[in-house]
Amino acid sequence: MHLYLLSSRVSFSPPVFWHASSSATLPFPAPATAKPLPPPSSRPAKSLKLEAAIPPSNSKCALECPHFQSCSGCTHELDLDRPSVVDEAAEFFSKLGVSDFTFDSSRLWEWRCRAKLAVRGSSATPLIGLYEEGTHNVVDIPHCKGLIKNLDWIVAQFVIGITALRILPYDEDQGTGDLRYVQMAVTTHNTSLPVSDRYKNGKVQVSLVWNTRNETSPSSEKLTALAQFLWRNGGPKSNENIIHSVWANFQTSSNNIIFGNRWRHLLGETDLWEHVGGIDVSLAPSSFGQANTRAFDSLLWKLQKYVPRRSSVADLYAGAGVIGLSVAASRKCRSVKCVEVNKESKLSFEKTVERLPKSLDGSISWHQADTSAEPLSWLMGSEVVIVDPPRKGLDAPLVDALKTISFRNLKPMPSTDGSQVKEEKRPWVLRARESSVYVRSSTTSDGPLVLPQTLIYISCGWESFKEDCKALLSTNKWRLEHAHGFNFFPGTQSIEVLAVFQRGKVANLKKKKLGKKKKRS
């Protein structure tokens, strides 16, 4: 993935920042307290229904950012609570017969819990931020209004530490330097606090992307020194007590991929926990995590209502299985199988499962597999299919399988619970089975000839979703029944869409008369 996809789409406030010339031995002050927003309830607020025209946003929803013309993070300055794409979405769904489209504007400032920032410049004047639009020139984004305050504090500590320890920022042209990127992830897991306080007091998992192959390189002493500097100023024995843990990632590639394959835990706790959708979730620094935790939590609560209790579920593009496991816990599903191509998500899945309620008696599994290879093997046996693809949308073979799936074209296939007797020879099934995780239970999963009746599509790419939606509806195998939007990235023309499809074509408006026909006399 590229930096502009992972670290962009952020809103900012006027800068107030400590410069590198500040003494590294001085205690760094806590960030200024922002003007508090009205305290939210523990459950997501009601969404705004778009059946009527929405009044224009007031000035309180303006960006007012001095970086707007240079930074690539934001695309519009006004109406943070209602980007213009919302009106386009409402019209699109209305034409498809969905009149109850809703949009949840969510939190508009201090919403970002996860950020990946580039480190460039020099030891004397390090630059930590996003790329300037259309370039690889890094723009400093001090006191970003989108970042939770503790993340902003960590960035300031980096500036001081890099200068004091003479850490060399990465030079893309030469391929030299020490520190390439930093990733920061906030945990808001403390459920004993109100939601607003969880964001304010959340601790930060810090990851340093180091320009070496491993920890034995000559510059490893600088890596250790920077980690200890951060830990001394922000760790549990400091006055701030902000840093949860420090990790290192080793990357020497010259392409735009941020992370390498090698990780090392340096300081602090090993497990970062988040609480979303009613469950505790383990997130390793290598795992994908949503940048806007609160908006994601709102989406999960909404999604759960569309999953019938005691149903069988397939969660495709599942990552660490957060969506599937939250549904398993809330809807008491008979079975949930999570399918994900990234093997790094397996460990987080296993740790999350350990914290699920002991009362659950459904079967739960995780499989490392590409859903574009034999997608029917993952669709069969599930009444509900949940898809959360990347920005490009669904893989073409999966779209085709959803469009054409029927009892006619199904061949009996062994179940994925590991209990089949017949010897399996297909390589993609064998690979998935080798890396699978099974949580056994007394409940048996549905047979392989059960077909999906509900398709729940979570989209982060509006243009690709429209294409997939039209393709799914083109064969009359699916009908669109509900659609909701979520403001995952305030300050951008991007919305997260939750769409619910049901199997079968749209019913005829003319009701058919029931009962036997009267015999003619």
Side-chain angles (χ1 to χ4, degrees):
M1 291 187 180
H2 303 291
L3 180 67
Y4 67 87
L5 291 178
L6 293 167
S7 304
S8 61
R9 306 188 297 186
V10 188
S11 53
F12 314 100
S13 62
V16 179
F17 202 55
W18 274 42
H19 297 288
S21 58
S22 302
S23 172
T25 60
L26 293 176
F28 192 83
T33 303
K35 189 174 181 179
L37 295 172
S41 60
S42 58
R43 281 291 184 95
K46 290 184 178 180
S47 302
L48 180 63
K49 227 177 215 188
L50 298 179
E51 293 177 333
I54 308 173
S57 297
N58 55 40
S59 60
K60 292 182 180 179
C61 293
L63 185 61
E64 298 180 354
C65 174
H67 307 298
F68 182 73
Q69 297 299 326
S70 57
C71 175
S72 60
C74 296
T75 59
H76 66 97
E77 296 181 284
L78 303 176
D79 300 336
L80 300 185
D81 59 333
R82 192 207 66 216
S84 59
V85 68
V86 173
D87 297 323
E88 178 190 338
E91 182 179 359
F92 175 83
F93 289 119
S94 178
K95 290 180 179 179
L96 295 177
V98 177
S99 60
D100 61 347
F101 174 72
T102 63
F103 182 70
D104 187 342
S105 62
S106 191
R107 189 183 182 100
L108 301 178
W109 299 278
E110 296 183 30
W111 53 267
R112 181 174 280 276
C113 296
R114 180 178 290 257
K116 299 178 181 71
L117 304 177
V119 182
R120 301 294 186 266
S122 65
S123 296
T125 55
L127 302 174
I128 303 177
L130 302 178
Y131 290 132
E132 184 179 355
E133 186 68 38
T135 74
H136 270 215
N137 300 323
V138 171
V139 178
D140 252 333
I141 52 170
H143 271 231
C144 163
K145 191 179 289 185
L147 290 179
I148 291 175
K149 287 297 181 182
N150 285 356
L151 294 184
D152 202 43
W153 188 90
I154 297 292
V155 171
Q157 284 293 315
F158 268 116
V159 172
I160 298 173
I162 290 171
T163 301
L165 300 172
R166 298 182 180 179
I167 306 293
L168 295 177
Y170 182 62
D171 186 320
E172 290 187 44
D173 295 330
Q174 303 296 324
T176 57
D178 303 316
L179 185 59
R180 298 168 66 120
Y181 302 97
V182 298
Q183 174 180 263
M184 301 171 290
V186 176
T187 172
T188 63
H189 178 260
N190 191 348
T191 55
S192 65
L193 298 173
V195 175
S196 57
D197 289 343
R198 293 180 214 169
Y199 275 71
K200 182 170 60 178
N201 299 316
K203 293 189 178 181
V204 184
Q205 177 194 71
V206 179
S207 300
L208 314 174
V209 183
W210 210 250
N211 189 36
T212 58
R213 294 184 180 276
N214 53 52
E215 59 271 30
T216 62
S217 65
S219 65
S220 61
E221 292 183 1
K222 287 186 177 182
L223 171 62
T224 302
L226 181 58
Q228 291 177 343
F229 171 86
L230 295 170
W231 193 247
R232 186 166 57 251
N233 289 343
K237 294 184 179 180
S238 68
N239 292 331
E240 305 301 335
N241 191 16
I242 286 177
I243 298 180
H244 169 276
S245 57
V246 183
W247 293 72
N249 176 265
F250 302 96
Q251 171 67 297
T252 57
S253 174
S254 60
N255 57 32
N256 288 332
I257 298 175
I258 294 178
F259 295 128
N261 295 323
R262 185 177 180 84
W263 289 85
R264 182 187 172 191
H265 173 247
L266 301 178
L267 296 163
E269 301 179 44
T270 56
D271 297 328
L272 182 81
W273 290 94
E274 191 53 87
H275 188 82
V276 291
I279 64 170
D280 291 345
V281 177
S282 173
L283 291 174
S286 58
S287 299
F288 170 78
Q290 292 287 350
N292 194 331
T293 303
R294 180 174 295 181
F296 182 52
D297 187 53
S298 298
L299 184 148
L300 288 179
W301 287 113
K302 179 72 74 173
L303 180 152
Q304 291 168 6
K305 297 178 181 179
Y306 295 114
V307 178
R309 291 179 66 85
R310 303 296 297 166
S311 58
S312 54
V313 177
D315 179 12
L316 310 184
Y317 308 93
V322 176
I323 299 172
L325 294 178
S326 72
V327 167
S330 63
R331 308 306 291 170
K332 305 296 187 291
C333 297
R334 290 196 311 279
S335 68
V336 173
K337 54 185 176 186
C338 301
V339 184
E340 167 60 34
V341 70
N342 180 12
K343 65 180 180 180
E344 298 294 336
S345 300
K346 179 180 178 181
L347 181 59
S348 292
F349 174 86
E350 292 175 317
K351 291 181 177 180
T352 300
V353 166
E354 292 176 358
R355 288 201 180 185
L356 290 179
K358 302 299 182 183
S359 59
L360 291 182
D361 63 352
S363 65
I364 300 173
S365 59
W366 183 93
H367 310 267
Q368 184 198 346
D370 185 351
T371 55
S372 65
E374 288 293 317
L376 280 178
S377 62
W378 305 113
L379 299 177
M380 291 166 55
S382 298
E383 297 163 309
V384 179
V385 174
I386 301 173
V387 294
D388 184 14
R391 192 181 306 274
K392 67 178 183 178
L394 299 176
D395 291 299
L398 179 56
V399 174
D400 292 339
L402 288 167
K403 288 169 57 179
T404 59
I405 189 170
S406 67
F407 286 112
R408 293 180 182 177
N409 58 15
L410 290 186
K411 297 179 181 179
M413 302 179 79
S415 63
T416 56
D417 60 5
S419 62
Q420 59 272 16
V421 177
K422 184 178 178 180
E423 182 182 1
E424 179 59 67
K425 295 182 179 181
R426 289 167 297 167
W428 58 88
V429 176
L430 293 174
R431 286 194 296 270
R433 192 178 300 165
E434 288 175 359
S435 57
S436 296
V437 179
Y438 297 98
V439 180
R440 305 261 180 208
S441 73
S442 58
T443 302
T444 57
S445 59
D446 292 327
L449 294 184
V450 171
L451 295 180
Q453 299 301 311
T454 302
L455 171 64
I456 301 177
Y457 192 138
I458 303 167
S459 169
C460 62
W462 173 238
E463 294 301 325
S464 61
F465 169 80
K466 289 189 292 184
E467 295 302 316
D468 287 343
C469 181
K470 293 174 183 177
L472 291 170
L473 299 178
S474 63
T475 59
N476 287 329
K477 289 290 177 64
W478 297 95
R479 66 182 185 274
L480 179 63
E481 291 209 339
H482 304 282
H484 307 281
F486 298 85
N487 200 12
F488 272 34
F489 300 97
T492 75
Q493 291 295 339
S494 173
I495 60 171
E496 200 86 0
V497 170
L498 172 64
V500 182
F501 299 81
Q502 293 294 338
R503 186 168 175 77
K505 61 183 179 179
V506 178
N508 196 328
L509 295 178
K510 296 181 179 179
K511 295 182 179 180
K512 294 182 179 180
K513 295 182 179 180
L514 301 178
K516 295 182 179 180
K517 293 183 178 180
K518 293 183 180 180
K519 294 183 179 180
R520 294 182 180 179
S521 55

